[in-house]
Each structure stands twice: as structure tokens, then as C-alpha cells.
Amino acid sequence: MSGVRHRLPMDPIRFGLSLRVLRRRRGWTQTQLAAAAGLSQTAISRIERGRGDRLTVRTLTLVLETLGARISLRVLSQGEDLDRLLDANHAEIVERVARLLRGRGWDVAPEVTFSVYGERGSIDILATHPPTGALLVVEVKSVVPDVQATLAGIDRKARLASGVARERGWPARSVSRWLVMPGDKTSRRRVERHAETFAAALPGRTVEMRRWSSAPYGAVAGVVFVSPGTHTAARHRTRSPGMRNRDI
């Protein structure tokens, strides 16, 4: 289906202007960008003139990736409120993780906002384990994330976490990181597809992270799979007992 043209939910004029700004910042002509992307100069000109909605998603993605940028698409529906559904799944996963940690002696603060020297954002769950001084930064993704952007975000929050926790009166002897995702096939495939990247950045997995949360000595980093619903959890219990990526 790569040859099929799709009307994109975007402002083609703004898209074209954005592309032109990125190209000029590189100091490239349209011909140079076209050569780097493997396209024609005519295609680049068409996009910059506000006619990018006549090209394929693959073509537009290729051009932006050549310039070190990316497309972000959003699904809109006239029926069910998709943002509300995604938010509900996110909230349910946050609650499951918070309940697990509280049951193991952690103090838990959800949705902790921060502003540190111009760096702003929020941490889905910030938790401290008073007996050990362990601090845990939990990033929850209810949908399969953009891997590089997600890992960069977690690194940034972990870097700032000690200062954020200190403002709450939580001294930190170590800072650990969890990326929590739904325990569905899509999320698992994404982790498997980027196995080396995750092994380097977040090597731990659900069973190990659960075990560590009971006695959190030293810093860890890992991916935790959570089944938010009863139906989902039941389905995953049919997996082989030898699977290490068992869900919370």
C-alpha cells in the first residue's frame, strides 16, 4: 500500500514552510535535499509550495528524516474520544504500579511536575523507599512509544529527579528508572524489535524489577509490562511459565 496517496491530517502550507526552514538551516538547496533523500527536486518544491498532502506518508517521512526531523500523526475520531480512552488506560496503569510500590513500603507521588532551570515536564510516578533512600522514576506509556524520544525523556527526568525529590524532603541515595508499558503483543514486539537499544538503556525486565522493588539496593533500569485489565491479565497468564516478561 506504499504507493497509495493519503490525505494527511495536517496544514500543508505550514508543513511546507517548516520543511523550507529546516532545509535552509542546513544550508541545502532543494536539489541537494532531493539528492540526499533520493527524490526529485520537483517533489521537494511541491512540498514546500504547500502540496505535500498529495504525496505519500512514506515520502514525507523520508524527507524529514533526511533533515533530522520526524512526522507526528494524531488519530482523530468523530465517535469515541480516543484521547479519553488513552488517558484512561494510562491512569489505570499508573494506579497498578502505584499500588504495587505502596504495598512494598514506597512513598508514591503521581504526576509530579517540575521546572528546573527552564526544563519543564512531569514525572508519571516519583517514588522513594525511605529505608534505603532509593528513588524511582516511572515513565508510563499506554501506547507503543517512539523509542528514542521516550528514552531521551526518561534520561532527562532521571537526571533531574534528585533535585525534584529533594524539594519534597526526599533524600536520594540512588536513582532508578522504569519504563512501564501495557503487556500486549504490540508493546512486546516493539521492545524485541529494538532489543539492543533497550538492553543498553533499560536492561531489566518485569520479574527482576518486581524483585528489586522489595529490596531496592542500588540503581536499576528496566522495562515493566503491566496488564491493566482483568481480561488482558487473564490472557497473559496462559503464557509459558518460563517467560521472564511476566506482567504486574
Side-chain angles (χ1 to χ4, degrees):
M1 297 296 293
S2 60
V4 178
R5 286 173 170 75
H6 303 277
R7 294 281 180 177
L8 295 181
M10 68 176 188
D11 179 345
I13 301 298
R14 184 178 179 83
F15 188 95
L17 291 174
S18 299
L19 179 65
R20 182 179 299 168
V21 167
L22 292 173
R23 173 177 64 78
R24 288 179 174 175
R25 190 171 68 181
R26 286 286 185 100
W28 287 359
T29 64
Q30 289 185 349
T31 300
Q32 289 172 320
L33 174 56
L39 301 171
S40 67
Q41 182 273 333
T42 301
I44 302 300
S45 175
R46 184 178 297 131
I47 297 171
E48 291 190 358
R49 287 186 286 112
R51 298 175 62 191
D53 57 341
R54 300 178 179 227
L55 301 176
T56 64
V57 175
R58 176 175 293 183
T59 297
L60 298 176
T61 300
L62 177 61
V63 174
L64 286 184
E65 287 180 346
T66 303
L67 292 169
R70 62 188 179 90
I71 291 177
S72 177
L73 297 180
R74 183 181 178 188
V75 179
L76 303 175
S77 173
Q78 295 178 349
E80 195 73 48
D81 186 339
L82 299 182
D83 284 342
R84 181 161 52 82
L85 288 176
L86 292 175
D87 287 345
N89 289 339
H90 183 277
E92 188 175 0
I93 293 174
V94 167
E95 178 58 30
R96 286 288 299 274
V97 176
R99 192 183 313 129
L100 170 75
L101 293 174
R102 289 190 183 108
R104 299 185 176 201
W106 292 75
D107 291 337
V108 176
E111 295 298 329
V112 175
T113 59
F114 61 84
S115 177
V116 181
Y117 298 111
E119 293 192 84
R120 295 179 173 84
S122 66
I123 300 172
D124 290 323
I125 295 177
L126 184 65
T128 183
H129 189 260
T132 62
L135 188 68
L136 176 62
V137 174
V138 179
E139 180 83 356
V140 175
K141 292 295 183 183
S142 58
V143 294
V144 178
D146 177 304
V147 174
Q148 295 300 334
T150 297
L151 295 180
I154 295 174
D155 285 345
R156 182 174 72 98
K157 294 172 186 179
R159 172 171 52 83
L160 300 172
S162 293
V164 176
R166 190 162 47 247
E167 293 178 356
R168 306 178 68 91
W170 292 357
R173 296 177 185 168
S174 65
V175 179
S176 296
R177 297 166 293 152
W178 283 6
L179 170 60
V180 180
M181 303 167 65
D184 54 31
K185 292 181 180 179
T186 302
S187 297
R188 294 178 190 277
R189 276 198 296 262
R190 173 55 69 93
V191 172
E192 291 170 1
R193 191 177 303 125
H194 299 274
E196 292 187 9
T197 299
F198 278 105
L202 300 167
R205 292 297 176 265
T206 306
V207 173
E208 302 149 78
M209 297 299 95
R210 284 189 59 141
R211 186 181 302 121
W212 170 85
S213 67
S214 295
Y217 292 97
V220 299
V223 176
V224 175
F225 291 110
V226 174
S227 294
T230 302
H231 175 72
T232 306
R235 184 174 71 245
H236 285 296
R237 279 198 295 269
T238 63
R239 298 171 68 88
S240 167
M243 292 295 291
R244 298 181 69 211
N245 286 348
R246 184 163 53 86
D247 300 349
I248 285 179

